[in-house]
């Protein structure tokens, strides 16, 4: 993210260098995306402009597609959707000299609440999701905000070690207001690499001939693990330490006798709320985490070296979620678990292995109607690109039936 003051256009150079030597490094076939190109409700007060010289650019991708494939800047922007940014091919460079450039302009207002937080998730934002939008202020007319229409991705074939982008915030509200109004202190431009403007292929998994139930490379054992820190998201029961839940020495057959800890933390851009802090930690021989009603959370589980805190990569290991049940009236409380498909080799339920049987239904309700259900959903657990396994409880349970 870079902040630019009103009416002070700037051309920035982006260069790739070796982390150790600072020497330039040439890349090939890479992309840069500028996101969230928007403006004030009154665009004469503030509107955003971005300029990229044509030289070196292999392709331009907007919400309507690829310039190389479709052949028209209008067709991939306002011709695709009138709310899109505009892109003009101008017969001068971004600095006004010889050459040509792509000049992008905002066309619709935006607020902080619609800024993307994940480059691969440019899904629409509704008025209900934006604290800047209420019936009283009349801003609902600008929603939903289609964030993909406010992003442009540039593809470079290379080889090259640098590129330039010119950013500008135009203010036409008069010198006094543009210079002195404390609310008009420029705007932020956000940029990154790959974005949801392309449907990126999922890399084909490396085939591993593994009968999961015949054995693992590393076995996780929670029952004998010491809890070093129990303060997930800073909600206790420990009153100090990192905001994590850390289990010590959980891999008993680690290579070379290495001690490995399992560190549980709240994933970036996720929240976590609990009902009872003392429930976090362990239950009998299991790890246990408490989650408050209607507050879904995504947790990250990481294996680290007990001494150095460096991440440790494991191969052929399993994780099991137990006791997925609900209230007698499931509308009061029912449990759901979601795991992204990426990285998962197999799913095993009471009815067997998904790899062997080939059907999620066959290993769950098709095996026994009292089983949990598992659905393959064509979106990630957070609602973005990808796919996920979504598990739901189907039968009531009590403390006495916990394993």
């Amino acid at each position: 993210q870079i902040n630019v003051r009103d009416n002070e256009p700037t051309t920035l150079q982006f260069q790739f260098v070796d982390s150790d030597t600072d020497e330039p490094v040439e890349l090939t076939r890479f992309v840069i995306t500028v996101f969230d190109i928007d403006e004030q409700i009154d665009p004469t007060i503030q509107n955003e402009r971005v300029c990229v010289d044509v030289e070196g650019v292999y392709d331009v991708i907007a919400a309507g597609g690829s310039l190389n494939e479709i052949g028209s800047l209008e067709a991939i922007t306002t011709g695709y959707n009138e709310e899109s940014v505009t892109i003009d091919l101008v017969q001068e460079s971004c600095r006004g000299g010889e050459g040509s450039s792509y000049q992008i302009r905002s066309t619709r207002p935006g607020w902080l609440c619609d800024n993307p937080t994940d480059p691969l998730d440019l899904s629409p934002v509704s008025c209900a999701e934006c604290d800047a939008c209420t019936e009283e202020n009349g801003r609902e007319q600008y929603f939903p905000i289609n964030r993909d229409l406010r992003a442009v991705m540039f593809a470079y074939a290379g080889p090259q070690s640098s590129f330039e982008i010119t950013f500008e915030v135009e203010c036409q509200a008069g010198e006094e207001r543009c210079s002195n109004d404390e609310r008009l202190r420029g705007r932020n431009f956000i940029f990154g690499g790959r974005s949801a403007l392309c449907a990126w292929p999922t890399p084909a998994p490396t085939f591993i001939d593994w009968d999961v139930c015949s054995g693992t490379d590393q076995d996780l054992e929670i029952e004998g693990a010491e809890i070093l820190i129990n303060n997930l998201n800073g909600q206790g029961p420990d009153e100090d330490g990192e905001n994590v839940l850390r289990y010590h020495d959980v891999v008993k057959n680690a290579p070379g006798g290495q001690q490995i800890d399992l560190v549980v933390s709240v994933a970036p851009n996720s929240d976590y709320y609990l009902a009872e802090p003392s429930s976090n930690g362990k239950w009998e021989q299991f790890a246990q985490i408490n989650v408050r009603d209607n507050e879904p959370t995504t947790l990250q589980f990481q294996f680290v070296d007990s001494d150095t805190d460096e991440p440790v990569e494991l191969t052929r290991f399993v994780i099991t979620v137990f006791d997925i049940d609900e209230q007698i009236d499931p509308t009061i409380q029912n449990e759901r678990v979601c795991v992204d498909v990426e990285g998962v080799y197999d799913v095993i339920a009471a009815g067997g292995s998904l790899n062997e049987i080939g059907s999620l239904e066959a290993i769950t309700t098709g095996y026994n109607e009292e089983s949990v259900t598992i659905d393959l959903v064509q979106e990630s657990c957070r609602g973005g690109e990808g796919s996920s396994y979504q598990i739901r409880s189907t039968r009531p349970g009590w403390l006495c039936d916990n394993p």
Side-chain angles (χ1 to χ4, degrees):
Q1 175 175 281
I2 292 172
N3 182 270
V4 176
R5 185 187 296 175
D6 295 0
N7 292 332
E8 296 286 352
T10 183
T11 299
L12 301 179
Q13 183 184 69
F14 298 78
Q15 186 171 43
F16 303 105
V17 299
D18 185 284
S19 298
D20 296 321
T21 67
D22 284 343
E23 290 297 313
V25 176
E26 291 188 336
L27 303 186
T28 59
R29 301 204 311 174
F30 64 93
V31 296
I32 297 293
T33 307
V34 181
F35 302 85
D36 194 48
I37 304 169
D38 53 21
E39 58 192 31
Q40 293 271 10
I41 291 178
D42 179 354
T44 65
I45 297 177
Q46 279 181 328
N47 65 83
E48 297 179 359
R49 302 184 182 189
V50 177
C51 184
V52 175
D53 285 336
V54 170
E55 184 178 1
V57 173
Y58 174 77
D59 198 3
V60 180
I61 296 95
S66 153
L67 176 60
N68 283 355
E69 293 181 3
I70 296 176
S72 163
L73 288 169
E74 182 181 5
I76 66 173
T77 55
T78 52
Y80 170 75
N81 189 308
E82 63 179 10
E83 295 185 3
S84 170
V85 295
T86 63
I87 308 178
D88 293 314
L89 177 61
V90 178
Q91 296 307 311
E92 65 178 14
S93 72
C94 294
R95 301 201 200 190
E98 294 290 325
S100 55
S101 57
Y102 298 112
Q103 298 196 7
I104 301 101
R105 293 193 181 198
S106 58
T107 63
R108 294 294 187 276
W111 295 267
L112 181 64
C113 59
D114 63 75
N115 286 12
T117 58
D118 180 346
L120 297 178
D121 180 10
L122 297 180
S123 55
V125 175
S126 67
C127 179
E129 297 173 290
C130 181
D131 55 10
C133 178
T134 65
E135 292 183 5
E136 289 76 16
N137 62 29
R139 293 176 180 169
E140 69 274 7
Q141 63 180 301
Y142 302 107
F143 288 80
I145 290 177
N146 295 301
R147 296 183 291 183
D148 60 337
L149 300 176
R150 302 174 178 210
V152 180
M153 184 163 65
F154 297 94
Y156 293 86
Q160 63 192 81
S161 62
S162 65
F163 58 92
E164 292 183 355
I165 301 179
T166 300
F167 300 97
E168 180 180 1
V169 180
E170 183 185 50
C171 179
Q172 299 174 327
E175 180 66 24
E176 182 176 353
R177 183 170 186 187
C178 292
S179 301
N180 300 325
D181 191 329
E182 293 185 358
R183 295 170 298 175
L184 305 182
R185 293 181 173 177
R187 292 174 73 88
N188 296 327
F189 290 88
I190 57 178
F191 57 90
R194 294 200 310 171
S195 70
L197 292 175
C198 277
W200 303 98
T202 302
T206 302
F207 180 75
I208 303 173
D209 187 10
W210 176 27
D211 176 4
V212 175
C213 290
S214 69
T216 58
D217 290 345
Q218 283 90 36
D219 296 323
L220 307 184
E221 296 184 9
I222 300 296
E223 57 267 30
E226 176 188 359
I227 298 178
L228 298 181
I229 305 173
N230 193 351
N231 191 30
L232 187 58
N233 206 35
Q235 298 191 43
D238 290 354
E239 295 181 355
D240 51 21
E242 295 180 78
N243 294 344
V244 300
L245 176 53
R246 182 164 182 157
Y247 300 91
H248 177 59
D249 194 17
V250 298
V251 181
K252 298 306 178 186
N253 56 345
Q258 180 183 23
Q259 288 192 330
I260 298 173
D261 292 357
L262 175 61
V263 179
V264 185
S265 60
V266 179
N269 302 316
S270 182
D271 292 321
Y272 172 69
Y273 301 96
L274 49 66
E276 179 47 64
S278 64
S279 294
N280 276 0
K282 293 169 70 174
W283 161 267
E284 299 294 342
Q285 299 181 38
F286 303 91
Q288 177 172 275
I289 291 172
N290 182 268
V291 177
R292 188 189 297 175
D293 294 1
N294 292 329
E295 297 288 354
T297 185
T298 299
L299 301 180
Q300 182 180 71
F301 297 77
Q302 185 170 42
F303 301 106
V304 301
D305 184 283
S306 297
D307 296 323
T308 67
D309 282 344
E310 289 297 313
V312 177
E313 292 185 337
L314 303 186
T315 59
R316 301 205 310 175
F317 65 94
V318 297
I319 296 289
T320 307
V321 182
F322 301 85
D323 196 46
I324 303 170
D325 52 23
E326 57 192 32
Q327 293 272 9
I328 292 177
D329 179 354
T331 65
I332 297 177
Q333 279 181 327
N334 64 82
E335 296 179 357
R336 303 183 185 186
V337 178
C338 184
V339 178
D340 285 336
V341 169
E342 184 178 1
V344 174
Y345 175 77
D346 199 3
V347 180
I348 295 98
S353 155
L354 176 60
N355 283 355
E356 293 181 2
I357 297 175
S359 164
L360 288 170
E361 183 180 6
I363 65 172
T364 54
T365 52
Y367 170 76
N368 188 307
E369 63 179 11
E370 295 186 4
S371 168
V372 296
T373 63
I374 308 178
D375 294 313
L376 176 61
V377 178
Q378 295 308 311
E379 65 178 14
S380 71
C381 292
R382 301 207 205 184
E385 294 290 325
S387 54
S388 57
Y389 297 113
Q390 299 196 6
I391 303 102
R392 294 192 183 200
S393 59
T394 62
R395 293 295 188 276
W398 297 267
L399 181 66
C400 60
D401 64 70
N402 286 13

